[in-house]
Each structure stands twice: as structure tokens, then as C-alpha cells.
Amino acid sequence: MPIAVDIDVMLARRKMSVGELADRVGITPANLAVLKNGRAKAVRFATLAALCEVLECQPGDLLRWEAEDTADADVADDVAEGGQLRPTR
């Protein structure tokens, strides 16, 4: 996924546990873990704002863009255009 989540970095810098952050933000530890591990498909701006307030940081400290592997992107483009995946030799 091209968006990387660095909540664990900020937690380490603030010497805070996932449970404490979840309590202070008002979300469940399970939902915070989904976000922290990069498995979330979306995040509400209110949640992002609460994370930034508690961690005293900017959204860019928690989220960053990473370029996708070009081979993976080419496959995704082919599938999106109606192409089929063919085994490589």
C-alpha cells in the first residue's frame, strides 16, 4: 500500500502504549492496531485530529506516501483495464 502509517514511531518517541493512546483518543485498541499496522482502508479526520492532539504531532508525522513497486503497479493497471493475469515464465 502506498500510504505508510508511522504511529508506532510516534508511540515510541512519546513512550506511550497502544492501550493508553487508544484510551486517550477514544477508540478501541483493536481499531488502533488496524490503523497502526496499515490494514485500515480509511481514517476519519476526527480520529486523525485526535491522534495528532494526543501525540502532539502533525498528520505528516503519522502518515507518509511510499511509491509502489512498478511491477505491481503494471499488473494493477492491466487488471484495471480489463486485462488478465498470465503466469510469467
Side-chain angles (χ1 to χ4, degrees):
M1 173 171 265
I3 301 296
V5 182
D6 290 328
I7 291 175
D8 53 346
V9 173
M10 292 306 296
L11 283 170
R13 287 183 182 165
R14 302 296 187 253
K15 296 181 172 58
M16 188 181 298
S17 70
V18 171
E20 180 183 353
L21 179 60
D23 285 343
R24 292 179 62 184
V25 170
I27 61 176
T28 66
N31 284 341
L32 181 57
V34 167
L35 180 59
K36 184 176 83 69
N37 295 323
R39 294 189 316 259
K41 299 294 180 194
V43 60
R44 293 179 190 265
F45 278 8
T47 302
L48 183 58
L51 287 166
C52 290
E53 183 178 353
V54 170
L55 293 170
E56 298 178 351
C57 66
Q58 294 295 313
D61 296 326
L62 301 177
L63 304 172
R64 64 186 156 80
W65 177 81
E66 291 182 341
E68 290 187 57
D69 182 15
T70 56
D72 291 342
D74 290 342
V75 168
D77 289 344
D78 289 345
V79 171
E81 294 172 5
Q84 295 180 345
L85 294 176
R86 291 179 283 290
T88 58
R89 294 180 196 195

